[in-house]
Amino acid sequence: MSRPVWLLDVDGVINVARPGWGGIPRRGVAHSGGHAYRMRWAPALIDRVRALHRTGTVEIRWCSTWCADADEVERLFALPRLPRAWSERLSSTAAAEAKLAAARQVLARGWRLVWTDDVEVPTGGPVHDELTKDGRALLIAPSPREGLRPDHMDAIEGFVATRGAGSGGGRSGPEGV
C-alpha cells in the first residue's frame, strides 16, 4: 500500500493567533495576490512537519487558499517545496469545494488520508461518515486560534506509521486525538 497523503491547510492550522507549543512564536510576512499577510506560527510545529516530511512516510500536500502562493509559505516556514492540491488562485467558496474534492480523490485512489483544516474538515454528519467509514482517514479540525497542537501531531505520526485501514480513522477535532 502506498504512503498516506496529508492535506495541510495554512490559516488556522499553522498560521494562528496563539500557537501553544512553548517558546516564542515566530512571525513573518507572506505575500499573495499583491497583498502582504502577517503570519504567526510555532517553530516546534514546523520542525515536526519538516521531520515527518523527511521520513517519507507521508506525502504532505498543501490544501489551502495559499496553494497558488505556496512558495511564500514554504519560504517563510523554511519548508521544502510540497505538492499542491491545486495551483490556481481560488475564492474561499471554490477552495472549500476543492478541499473536499481533494480529500475524496485521495481516498478514491486507495490512499489513506490525513486532513487538517480548521474550517472544512467535517467533525460529524454524512460527509464525515463518508470519509471515515473504513478507517482510512484521520480528520483533524484544530481550533483556529491555536492550530495544530502536539497531541494532533502525535496522532498524525501514529496514523502514518501504521499500515492499512482501521488505524485511527474517524477521529476529528482536538477531542478526537
Side-chain angles (χ1 to χ4, degrees):
M1 180 172 277
S2 63
R3 64 188 175 159
V5 173
W6 177 5
L7 299 178
L8 177 59
D9 187 27
V10 175
D11 296 323
V13 175
I14 297 175
N15 175 33
V16 295
R18 302 184 65 122
W21 282 69
I24 299 170
R26 297 279 318 268
R27 297 173 191 251
V29 175
H31 296 87
S32 177
H35 300 282
Y37 294 92
R38 292 183 182 174
M39 306 286 235
R40 183 179 167 112
W41 67 96
L45 169 59
I46 298 301
D47 290 345
R48 284 185 70 178
V49 170
R50 189 180 306 110
L52 194 54
H53 171 73
R54 280 191 205 128
T55 69
T57 58
V58 63
E59 177 185 312
I60 303 171
R61 289 185 196 166
W62 294 117
C63 191
S64 168
T65 54
W66 280 97
C67 279
D69 298 300
D71 56 323
E72 282 287 310
V73 293
E74 290 163 348
R75 172 195 55 80
L76 191 61
F77 301 147
L79 289 170
R81 181 170 173 81
L82 301 172
R84 283 87 165 122
W86 62 84
S87 58
E88 62 275 5
R89 193 173 311 283
L90 299 178
S91 69
S92 296
T93 303
E97 294 171 8
K99 289 175 180 187
L100 179 56
R104 286 177 167 149
Q105 181 181 52
V106 166
L107 292 171
R109 291 190 173 171
W111 301 324
R112 292 186 306 130
L113 168 69
V114 175
W115 187 13
T116 55
D117 193 296
D118 62 311
V119 175
E120 302 306 332
V121 163
T123 58
V127 175
H128 175 272
D129 295 345
E130 167 200 339
L131 297 176
T132 61
K133 70 181 172 197
D134 59 7
R136 292 187 307 128
L138 173 63
L139 308 179
I140 299 175
S143 158
R145 290 183 47 83
E146 297 177 342
L148 289 177
R149 309 289 295 203
D151 59 328
H152 296 136
M153 288 304 299
D154 292 345
I156 292 167
E157 290 162 353
F159 183 82
V160 303
T162 60
R163 303 264 185 221
S167 51
R171 299 180 193 180
S172 62
E175 66 286 342
V177 286

